[in-house]
Amino acid sequence: PHFPINTLRLMRGLVGAQHLGIERPYIDAVQKAMWSDGLKMDDESVISGALTAAGLDAAAIAAKVQDEHVKAELMASTEAAVARGAFGIPTVYVGKEMFFGKERLYQIDDLLAGL
């Protein structure tokens, strides 16, 4: 209901979550909050509440969001993804072939089943 939103904080949060070793729980919490619960996930207090509700340390993640190394890592990762042709999520590569959108995930299953 709040689309489009500014996802910069969420993307930096993911890089920070990777550093903290909680990437998968972070992704699950953010995806649920945005797509299932319809929360406004570009609002810092809403993000914090969603992460806390998922049992994550929202303060530790928020600190990582401000970390210059996290910012630089996200920038480099984004530049590499754009150079490869990615333009949104989910984008999945199998070899050199790109698949975009959740409605394409079955195609990845088909491709992998044929390998």
Side-chain angles (χ1 to χ4, degrees), residues 42-114:
D42 59 354
D43 181 305
E44 186 174 353
S45 64
V46 174
I47 295 169
S48 178
L51 296 176
T52 300
L56 300 175
D57 185 343
I61 295 168
K64 288 287 188 183
V65 166
Q66 298 305 320
D67 183 285
E68 292 303 319
H69 296 290
V70 166
K71 291 177 182 181
E73 188 175 334
L74 176 61
M75 186 173 296
S77 177
T78 300
E79 288 172 356
V82 169
R84 193 166 181 195
F87 54 88
I89 63 166
T91 297
V92 177
Y93 287 92
V94 178
K96 293 183 178 183
E97 191 166 353
M98 181 180 83
F99 298 87
F100 174 74
K102 68 179 186 176
E103 70 278 1
R104 303 283 186 244
L105 296 178
Y106 78 90
Q107 293 174 330
I108 297 168
D109 287 340
D110 291 348
L111 178 67
L112 293 175

Side-chain angles (χ1 to χ4, degrees), residues 17-55:
Q18 290 169 335
H19 290 200
L20 296 168
I22 55 170
E23 176 182 11
R24 183 80 253 164
Y26 177 87
I27 291 170
D28 291 344
V30 169
Q31 294 286 337
K32 179 183 180 297
M34 184 180 300
W35 301 111
S36 296
D37 300 339
L39 300 181
K40 188 172 181 354
M41 291 299 286
D42 59 354
D43 181 305
E44 186 174 353
S45 64
V46 174
I47 295 169
S48 178
L51 296 176
T52 300

